[in-house]
Amino acid sequence: MVAKSSKPNRGRFILFCFIVIFFLSVLASINEFRFEGALSNESLVTNSSEEDLRILIAVLTLPDQYLRRHFLRLVYGTQTLIEGAKVVVKFVFCNLTKEEQKVLVALEIMRYNDIIILNCAENMNKGKTSTFFSSLPEMFNETNGPYPPYHYVMKADDDTYVRLNSLVKSLKPLAREDLYYGFVIPCGSMDPFKHYMSGMGFVVSWDIVEWIHGSDIPKKHVVGPEDKVFGDWMRWAKRGKNRYNAKWSMYNYPDPPSVCSHELWNDTIAVHLLKNEKKWIRTLTFFNHTDSLKPSKLYHIS
Ligand SMILES: *[C@@H]1O[C@H](CO)[C@@H](O)[C@H](O)[C@H]1NC(C)=O
Ligand SMILES: *[C@@H]1O[C@H](CO)[C@@H](O)[C@H](O)[C@H]1NC(C)=O
Ligand SMILES: *[C@@H]1O[C@H](CO)[C@@H](O)[C@H](O)[C@H]1NC(C)=O
Ligand SMILES: *[C@@H]1O[C@H](CO)[C@@H](O)[C@H](O)[C@H]1NC(C)=O
Ligand SMILES: *[C@@H]1O[C@H](CO)[C@@H](O)[C@H](O)[C@H]1NC(C)=O
Ligand SMILES: *[C@@H]1O[C@H](CO)[C@@H](O)[C@H](O)[C@H]1NC(C)=O
């Protein structure tokens, strides 16, 4: 027998409605939150509550390097930034050339939005770096955002491990204008004015980026090793008066030993020439990269 009340309890019914509405709105807000998270176009921004210092790290790579990008997203996305800095990592390459890239790269962009595709044909030493820097001011020219969009732009290789907090700490006290920072070439020199900063990872302030965009000097001289060419512009235009030599906080991986390499040590901003998995693993192990992994009943990693 089903007891049917002929007198519906209005009070209870209204309460019931409120409860349903409450749960629906909780659900909606959770969904909205997920939605925003998934669409976040600055997927690799970490700890940006306070943005005293904004740094763009541009990893120059090739469209087909899917696994490398996957790995670097893990390496940069798992570093917890100290307060007061925002670091955005983007991958940079030239025009796509294969049909499958149009789908695979589009998927990456939809998920991570951390890719910049320049208008150029893929090349190492024929102006990709120059195209990259001169494209930046128009790419980040939103009038409602902060100015400069980034205080510093770092060009990095995809076989370089950058320790973000060490980079931030070393840049914090430095000039925010006319800065040219990195690992001085030749390797044996400690004089930042000697030649140029190695392409493993050099940093310039935003005013230099704007200068590259507007000046004729970079347009006339694009062919040659990208880091050396960059140094030529700086020298010819007498730019980069504020120079900082980050050697030996930046260095090549110790194996094979060379005049540009160094043992892994605490005081490190970047390690370069991580050409295989073994070298990456040893480097990440040395810097205790995964020590902050939280314990859980769901896994055991010993
Ligand atoms: C991020 O994406 C949102 C929504 O698509 C857009 O309104 C906003 O301008 C984007 N911001 C940047 C910095 O690209
Ligand atoms: C931001 O950095 C501070 C340490 O400076 C840390 O305590 C905090 O958990 C970080 N926040 C996030 C969201 O990573
Ligand atoms: C790159 O692609 C764009 C858009 O398809 C095209 O207009 C441009 O000519 C291409 N540039 C080069 C150097 O191939
Ligand atoms: C940004 O640069 C693009 C490309 O040159 C241009 O079309 C756009 O009007 C610029 N926007 C602002 C706000 O300056
Ligand atoms: C390296 O850094 C860690 C963590 O900051 C510290 O505990 C350790 O003493 C340092 N080692 C050396 C040799 O400086
Ligand atoms: C990594 O952890 C070990 C053991 O706690 C410590 O001795 C070492 O200094 C740490 N290294 C760094 C670079 O923090």
Side-chain angles (χ1 to χ4, degrees):
M1 281 284 274
V2 178
K4 240 184 166 182
S5 167
S6 53
K7 273 198 260 166
N9 187 329
R10 258 185 107 142
R12 276 199 192 167
F13 180 69
I14 289 171
L15 185 65
F16 174 75
C17 288
F18 271 118
I19 291 172
V20 168
I21 289 170
F22 173 75
F23 276 109
L24 281 179
S25 42
V26 167
L27 258 180
S29 68
I30 288 173
N31 275 336
E32 191 179 314
F33 177 73
R34 285 205 189 126
F35 187 66
E36 279 174 6
L39 282 187
S40 161
N41 39 14
E42 307 224 300
S43 55
L44 285 171
V45 179
T46 26
N47 220 341
S48 58
S49 55
E50 228 188 296
E51 299 181 358
D52 295 341
L53 183 60
R54 297 181 293 275
I55 303 170
L56 173 65
I57 298 183
V59 178
L60 270 62
T61 183
L62 296 171
D64 282 340
Q65 293 284 349
Y66 302 102
L67 293 177
R68 177 56 58 92
R69 285 196 291 282
H70 169 68
F71 181 68
L72 290 175
R73 282 186 186 110
L74 294 178
V75 163
Y76 291 118
T78 51
Q79 300 188 44
T80 304
L81 265 201
I82 50 175
E83 209 96 43
K86 162 174 151 170
V87 178
V88 175
V89 178
K90 301 249 187 218
F91 300 101
V92 179
F93 39 80
C94 293
N95 276 11
L96 305 183
T97 52
K98 301 176 189 162
E99 277 308 305
E100 78 268 14
Q101 290 170 347
K102 293 182 185 167
V103 174
L104 296 175
V105 172
L107 283 174
E108 285 182 76
I109 296 174
M110 288 164 79
R111 177 63 184 83
Y112 302 108
N113 198 12
D114 58 0
I115 285 178
I116 293 177
I117 304 181
L118 304 170
N119 178 358
C120 53
E122 208 51 70
N123 68 85
M124 252 277 264
N125 292 322
K126 287 189 188 140
K128 180 174 175 180
T129 301
S130 143
T131 305
F132 165 65
F133 279 105
S134 45
S135 304
L136 281 180
E138 287 184 3
M139 285 180 171
F140 295 101
N141 65 353
E142 286 103 4
T143 41
N144 51 0
Y147 183 85
Y150 298 100
H151 298 101
Y152 300 116
V153 178
M154 171 184 248
K155 179 262 143 182
D157 281 342
D158 65 2
D159 60 354
T160 299
Y161 172 55
V162 181
R163 298 179 75 217
L164 302 181
N165 282 332
S166 304
L167 177 70
V168 166
K169 279 184 201 151
S170 103
L171 285 172
K172 272 237 155 113
L174 301 184
R176 299 218 171 155
E177 278 171 9
D178 211 17
L179 181 86
Y180 183 32
Y181 166 114
F183 175 95
V184 174
I185 299 289
C187 293
S189 171
M190 294 302 274
D191 171 9
F193 289 89
K194 182 79 178 176
H195 284 160
Y196 57 92
M197 302 302 180
S198 156
M200 68 168 77
F202 61 81
V203 178
V204 292
S205 50
W206 187 257
D207 58 320
I208 290 190
V209 175
E210 290 187 329
W211 171 78
I212 292 170
H213 173 77
S215 165
D216 280 338
I217 292 179
K219 292 178 186 66
K220 285 185 187 142
H221 177 40
V222 294
V223 179
E226 47 110 18
D227 45 6
K228 178 178 181 301
V229 164
F230 197 102
D232 289 341
W233 306 337
M234 295 293 100
R235 193 170 59 258
W236 295 349
K238 297 191 169 49
R239 293 274 158 171
K241 289 204 179 63
N242 298 310
R243 294 206 185 194
Y244 184 83
N245 175 21
K247 200 182 286 175
W248 290 98
S249 293
M250 297 172 87
Y251 48 89
N252 284 353
Y253 186 81
D255 180 36
S258 80
V259 67
C260 309
S261 72
H262 193 289
E263 282 308 307
L264 299 176
W265 65 354
N266 255 8
D267 179 17
T268 294
I269 294 166
V271 184
H272 180 227
L273 289 188
L274 297 170
K275 291 288 186 199
N276 58 40
E277 188 178 86
K278 195 173 146 242
K279 293 179 180 183
W280 274 104
I281 299 296
R282 198 187 139 207
T283 303
L284 295 177
T285 304
F286 180 88
F287 293 108
N288 300 324
H289 190 106
T290 56
D291 273 15
S292 54
L293 177 71
K294 294 203 170 46
S296 163
K297 286 184 283 189
L298 299 189
Y299 48 73
H300 46 278
I301 296 179
S302 49

